[in-house]
Amino acid sequence: MVLEGGKALFHFHLGDGGGLGGDPGAAKYALSVQGGASGHCVLQVWSEERNIVRRVTGMRVRKQSLLLETARLGQSKPGSLELTDGGEQRIPSERKIERARFKQMLERALLRHWPEWKLSGLTAAVDLEHSFGPALVRGEMLRGRSAMAVLAVGAGEMPESVDAALTAGVLWLEQLRSRVGDKRLVEGLRLILPAGMTAVTAARLAWMDFEKAKWELWELDPRTEELTAIAPEAGGNLATRLLRAPQEERVRERFATEIAHIREVVPESDVRVTSATEVAFALHGLVFARARVNAEAASFARSQTMIFGAGANETELTPETEALFRSLLGRLRAERVPEGRMASPLYRMQAEAWLEAQLRTSLPAIDTELEPSPVYSQMAAFAGVGDRGMLDLLACTRDGRLAVIEVKAQEDMQLALQGLDYWMRVRQLHVGVNPGSAESEFARMGYFPGCRLSREDPVLYLVAPALRIHPATEIVLKYFLPRVPWTLVAVNERWRQEVSVVWRKRSAVREPGG
């Protein structure tokens, strides 16, 4: 069942403080309920500026709002979406009180820990122009002509706010440096996060340039109001294992009948080997069917089944559902086309996956240094606390260096650091596992057969449409260590028809790591 409406008669707040932008009253929505009582609900809200798709996994009723527990399609990291009445745009009063108390506690902790410093301008005011939401408490600590930017997130905030804190801290540091000019020296950033939620940020800080700024990370214990220093940690507990690459030819042979069936109905479909026991079928990045091997109950026998349906909808393909299967895929082929209509949910759905699919077949257009194949997409290669879980694209250059490619179809101020997350995990697996061995861990696990991989650090590519690159991206990249070899690639807005590069910027130094 699909419900669609004109104006969204509610306001909503993402867990990271974001939203659609523009006039929320002009937004439209679509609600899909699929699979009966045991199925899932998919909510999509879109405007001229942004498109948001979330699978609803749970909900909690509050006095003035409805808090939905959500998951982004194709990703494992949980999130939240808060709906409030259309006439009520305020954050619930209890959250305001909690944030006010945290601000007071933070002020006491800062002055007690650094008594020789003066605290100035501590605020949690919303500043949309500079991308600061109410979850981010920021200020400045002064000592003579020296200063430190301060940014803190309370223990009661969403995990997304903690994850976004370093990007916000860099923006705050840059804003203070621009504001004070030569009046004083803003040495760096003091970032204060809840206890037990600093691992990802500590790993990121290890790759920030300490010559351009001092980077301090602290945990604040709300019970004792004590601050504890956290050292940047390049490895940490983030990259833990690499899954073995499936033998694609053997898997394709196993599912030859299912592949032929799909290709008969959707000749232009993309066949992806996701594991030794499963293949997925996609059209412009949208997975619409899967074939898998199932173990029979109380037996060693195995059988193969085909499941079809986009998003949360899954239906087994049988002679009885064949007509429905062909009908749905006929609609998919008609609506999910480069010249399709924005009003169609099938056209709008998973734009990032569509752009990623385009890039898989046109990597040399992004950079002539990139090999066109093999290319691995949506690799479930990593496990660890706080991981996003799925790497967009992994390729290699013509001289054998691994290339981590992070893709965004919509504006996202976390693009640079999310790309860094994957880069440092790939690097850890590539050069940190068996460092004395001449063979890369990726080669040992069956990736890039026939390629001689260099043991140099990977290169990082950040790709997004030119008008969708958030201004924060280049500011954050400026503070990366020079040894992180990044390339920011802006592609054309009509990338669904054909991908072309509008402009390209590289890090100043692109040399092998140590």
Side-chain angles (χ1 to χ4, degrees), residues 411-428:
E411 190 174 273
D412 191 334
M413 63 185 293
Q414 302 304 322
L415 172 60
L417 286 183
Q418 288 181 357
L420 179 66
D421 285 347
Y422 288 128
W423 179 87
M424 63 189 182
R425 287 158 173 77
V426 169
R427 180 188 179 277
Q428 174 71 9

Side-chain angles (χ1 to χ4, degrees), residues 374-423:
V375 182
Y376 301 94
S377 66
Q378 291 298 306
M379 272 179 58
F382 312 112
V385 177
D387 285 358
R388 289 166 62 231
M390 301 292 285
L391 171 63
D392 286 345
L393 294 171
L394 182 67
C396 68
T397 64
R398 297 191 184 280
D399 57 359
R401 295 181 73 173
L402 290 177
V404 177
I405 304 167
E406 176 71 358
V407 180
K408 295 292 181 187
Q410 303 294 336
E411 190 174 273
D412 191 334
M413 63 185 293
Q414 302 304 322
L415 172 60
L417 286 183
Q418 288 181 357
L420 179 66
D421 285 347
Y422 288 128
W423 179 87

Side-chain angles (χ1 to χ4, degrees), residues 8 20 42 82 89 108 122 129 136 161 165 169 176 200 275 284 345 354 396 411 419 437:
L20 283 178
V42 175
E82 188 173 16
Q89 300 187 46
R108 293 192 299 269
L122 196 64
E129 180 182 355
L136 305 171
S161 296
L176 285 179
V200 172
S275 73
H284 300 308
W354 193 333
C396 68
E411 190 174 273
S437 171

Side-chain angles (χ1 to χ4, degrees), residues 280-432:
F281 304 93
L283 181 62
H284 300 308
L286 178 62
V287 175
F288 60 84
R290 297 179 186 273
R292 57 177 65 124
V293 175
N294 298 315
E296 299 289 347
S299 170
F300 290 103
R302 292 175 177 268
S303 63
Q304 292 181 193
T305 59
M306 178 92 77
I307 303 295
F308 68 93
N313 183 26
E314 285 192 351
T315 303
E316 183 176 355
L317 180 59
T318 65
E320 291 75 20
T321 60
E322 178 74 23
L324 175 62
F325 168 71
R326 291 179 177 269
S327 174
L328 290 176
L329 294 194
R331 180 187 170 196
L332 179 67
R333 293 187 69 200
E335 297 187 23
R336 194 171 179 83
V337 291
E339 61 277 8
R341 301 174 300 109
M342 182 60 73
S344 167
L346 289 176
Y347 179 85
R348 297 188 309 271
M349 191 176 292
Q350 298 188 30
E352 192 171 297
W354 193 333
L355 176 55
E356 176 194 308
Q358 289 286 79
L359 294 177
R360 288 184 68 207
T361 59
S362 56
L363 282 185
I366 297 301
D367 195 327
T368 55
E369 294 182 15
L370 292 170
E371 289 281 6
S373 65
V375 182
Y376 301 94
S377 66
Q378 291 298 306
M379 272 179 58
F382 312 112
V385 177
D387 285 358
R388 289 166 62 231
M390 301 292 285
L391 171 63
D392 286 345
L393 294 171
L394 182 67
C396 68
T397 64
R398 297 191 184 280
D399 57 359
R401 295 181 73 173
L402 290 177
V404 177
I405 304 167
E406 176 71 358
V407 180
K408 295 292 181 187
Q410 303 294 336
E411 190 174 273
D412 191 334
M413 63 185 293
Q414 302 304 322
L415 172 60
L417 286 183
Q418 288 181 357
L420 179 66
D421 285 347
Y422 288 128
W423 179 87
M424 63 189 182
R425 287 158 173 77
V426 169
R427 180 188 179 277
Q428 174 71 9
L429 288 164
H430 182 54
V431 302

Side-chain angles (χ1 to χ4, degrees), residues 492-503:
N492 56 316
E493 290 296 316
R494 296 184 176 275
W495 51 264
R496 286 181 173 88
Q497 282 78 28
E498 184 179 7
V499 174
S500 63
V501 174
V502 177
W503 52 261

